[in-house]
Amino acid sequence: MKILKRDFYNRDSLTVAKELLGKVLVHHIGEQRIAARIVEAEAYMGIEDKAAHSYGGKRTPRVEVMYGGPGFSYVFIIYGMYYCFNIVTREEGNPQAVLIRAVEPIEGFDLMSQNRFKKPYDQLTVSQIKGLTNGPGKLCNAFLIDKNLNGEDLCGSRLYVEEGADEKFSMVSTARVGVDYAGEAKDYPWRFYIKDNKYVSVK
């Protein structure tokens, strides 16, 4: 499959978040490859978005990568323990991003399982299988995405997104998760997911 090019990301986050659904996130770890279909994403619209880390033009070392060019990873940590993987969108100086909230595993099941649960995939319980990548922290754990990948060029050969199969699906649009602090922005329907996919984090 073709790797998405920078032009794909050089658009507003709402457009990119919707179009990332069904695409395939890939991470090469040594000689091994992990791949999973993106099934849930949230758009963060930058300076005007009260839920965005860059709201109001905030510019700190933590968010600096958001002000760079499109198609780079923005990885941050929450609660001091869970990583979240974002894709920077828009042109340099316009700090927007898309949070990848959940993915559906399609390749590298055992490696993901070992990363998450320290055991082979065929030993997972039904709930562990569902919980493998159905949340931003979980998918980062399964994909071995941490701060070392902050600023990674997603148009490179280590961590990237491929065109997915041309499958038909229904998309749901709803409010984002965990942004109750964001005033009216907490209700913006800027979270998108594939309807009825079991890996979606919150229905």
Side-chain angles (χ1 to χ4, degrees):
M1 293 186 190
K2 290 183 179 180
I3 298 174
L4 299 184
K5 296 183 178 180
R6 207 166 308 282
D7 285 350
F8 177 91
Y9 304 111
N10 193 17
R11 300 177 295 165
D12 72 86
S13 284
L14 286 171
T15 300
V16 175
K18 294 173 187 177
E19 293 190 16
L20 278 170
L21 296 182
K23 302 292 192 289
V24 177
L25 179 64
V26 177
H27 188 193
H28 288 271
I29 303 169
E31 298 298 314
Q32 296 180 285
R33 170 184 150 114
I34 294 173
R37 182 180 182 224
I38 296 172
V39 299
E40 182 182 0
E42 288 180 344
Y44 288 86
M45 295 292 285
I47 292 171
E48 305 300 322
D49 181 0
K50 291 182 179 178
H53 291 172
S54 54
Y55 172 64
K58 181 179 180 182
R59 193 160 186 166
T60 64
R62 179 195 191 201
V63 303
E64 187 62 31
V65 68
M66 293 180 71
Y67 285 87
F72 289 83
S73 66
Y74 169 42
V75 180
F76 63 86
I77 195 167
I78 56 173
Y79 311 126
M81 59 191 300
Y82 301 116
Y83 290 102
C84 292
F85 169 66
N86 301 257
I87 298 174
V88 177
T89 62
R90 293 297 301 261
E91 69 282 355
E92 185 175 350
N94 192 340
Q96 297 187 18
V98 173
L99 170 66
I100 306 303
R101 282 198 55 88
V103 297
E104 176 184 355
I106 57 177
E107 189 177 337
F109 290 86
D110 275 335
L111 183 53
M112 280 187 260
S113 179
Q114 290 289 351
N115 294 339
R116 279 276 288 131
F117 300 113
K118 312 303 180 193
K119 59 184 179 181
Y121 184 80
D122 63 7
Q123 293 181 16
L124 298 185
T125 65
V126 172
S127 64
Q128 285 175 327
I129 289 172
K130 183 178 179 181
L132 191 58
T133 54
N134 67 338
K138 295 174 184 179
L139 78 85
C140 282
N141 190 211
F143 263 73
L144 289 184
I145 294 174
D146 59 20
K147 288 290 283 186
N148 293 318
L149 288 168
N150 187 46
E152 182 77 6
D153 187 351
L154 302 179
C155 298
S157 59
R158 179 164 62 158
L159 180 67
Y160 54 84
V161 180
E162 292 179 338
E163 286 283 0
D166 189 19
E167 302 174 56
K168 301 298 182 184
F169 56 81
S170 296
M171 182 183 73
V172 177
S173 174
T174 187
R176 293 172 292 186
V177 178
V179 295
D180 290 345
Y181 57 83
E184 70 278 3
K186 71 181 177 62
D187 297 317
Y188 294 166
W190 291 352
R191 170 178 166 244
F192 309 99
Y193 65 85
I194 294 177
K195 185 179 180 181
D196 297 328
N197 188 281
K198 72 177 184 178
Y199 286 95
V200 171
S201 63
V202 181
K203 297 297 192 292

